[in-house]
Amino acid sequence: AMYAAQKDSRIAGVIALDPWLVPLPAHFIDRDIERSVPTLVVNSDIFNWKGNKEALRRFLLRLKDLHRRGNQRPCPITQVTVMTSDHMD
């Protein structure tokens, strides 16, 4: 959903449950993000791989930076963790 929001302007916001960003190329996170949409990331307590957490941190920082520089409409970008929760595929 987070990747699709960058490619499809019809997507006006994203709710992502335990997003897996590791498969995305680094250039996508570091350079190819062009639009900031309202984003809510909900993490389960157990879904905390170091590489994915770092990719998610960079992705959200990039969205926030785009929003600040572009002076776009209000664009909440929020990340929450549901404590004592589990991840189910």
Side-chain angles (χ1 to χ4, degrees):
M2 297 165 83
Y3 179 81
Q6 294 301 309
K7 302 298 180 186
D8 189 339
S9 63
R10 295 173 298 171
I11 298 174
V14 173
I15 298 174
L17 175 61
D18 288 337
W20 183 239
L21 298 179
V22 169
L24 295 176
H27 67 82
F28 171 75
I29 293 172
D30 296 330
R31 293 188 312 266
D32 296 348
I33 298 172
E34 298 175 354
R35 60 190 291 259
S36 184
V37 298
T39 302
L40 171 62
V41 175
V42 180
N43 291 317
S44 60
D45 193 26
I46 200 164
F47 195 76
N48 58 7
W49 287 282
K50 184 178 181 179
N52 194 61
K53 284 174 68 173
E54 175 59 23
L56 180 58
R57 183 189 70 77
R58 288 186 2 250
F59 186 92
L60 295 177
L61 284 174
R62 178 85 171 120
L63 287 181
K64 290 176 182 179
D65 183 54
L66 275 174
H67 177 68
R68 272 192 301 272
R69 286 189 290 127
N71 200 16
Q72 300 173 358
R73 59 180 163 63
C75 186
I77 299 166
T78 305
Q79 181 179 13
V80 297
T81 299
V82 180
M83 302 308 290
T84 69
S85 62
D86 202 350
H87 175 85
M88 303 293 283
D89 283 333

